[in-house]
C-alpha cells in the first residue's frame, strides 16, 4: 500500500475516500470542537490522512486539497 494506510475496501477510489474522511473530520471539528479536542484517536487519524494525501499528491504542504 503506497500510502502506508489501510483504507476501507470495496474498490472505491482511495483519493475520494481520503477526501471524504478528511471532510467528515473537519465538519465534526467545526460542529463539536470540544468533543474533537478530547478524541485523540480521531486527531491521529486526521494526521494519518493528511500525510497520505500529501504523499499521494492530492494535498499540498499547506493543507489545501488539489482538484
Amino acid at each position: 500500500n503506497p500510502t502506508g494506510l489501510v483504507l476501507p475496501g470495496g474498490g472505491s477510489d482511495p483519493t475520494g475516500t481520503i477526501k471524504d474522511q478528511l471532510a467528515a473530520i473537519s465538519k465534526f471539528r467545526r460542529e463539536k470542537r470540544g468533543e474533537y479536542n478530547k478524541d485523540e484517536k480521531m486527531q491521529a487519524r486526521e494526521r494519518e490522512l493528511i500525510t497520505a494525501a500529501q504523499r499521494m499528491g492530492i494535498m499540498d504542504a499547506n493543507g489545501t486539497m488539489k482538484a
Side-chain angles (χ1 to χ4, degrees):
N1 186 341
T3 61
L5 298 176
V6 177
L7 298 171
S12 62
D13 174 21
T15 60
T17 301
I18 290 171
K19 288 178 182 180
D20 292 343
Q21 288 183 55
L22 283 169
I25 292 171
S26 179
K27 181 178 186 228
F28 185 85
R29 183 178 59 245
R30 284 190 314 272
E31 294 176 357
K32 300 180 181 183
R33 186 58 182 230
E35 289 180 48
Y36 170 84
N37 288 344
K38 294 177 185 176
D39 193 337
E40 293 181 20
K41 185 176 177 183
M42 182 181 292
Q43 292 173 43
R45 180 63 178 156
E46 183 177 35
R47 288 189 297 272
E48 291 174 347
L49 292 166
I50 289 168
T51 299
Q54 290 172 339
R55 286 183 181 160
M56 294 175 72
I58 60 172
M59 177 184 277
D60 67 22
N62 295 319
T64 303
M65 295 301 268
K66 297 179 182 179

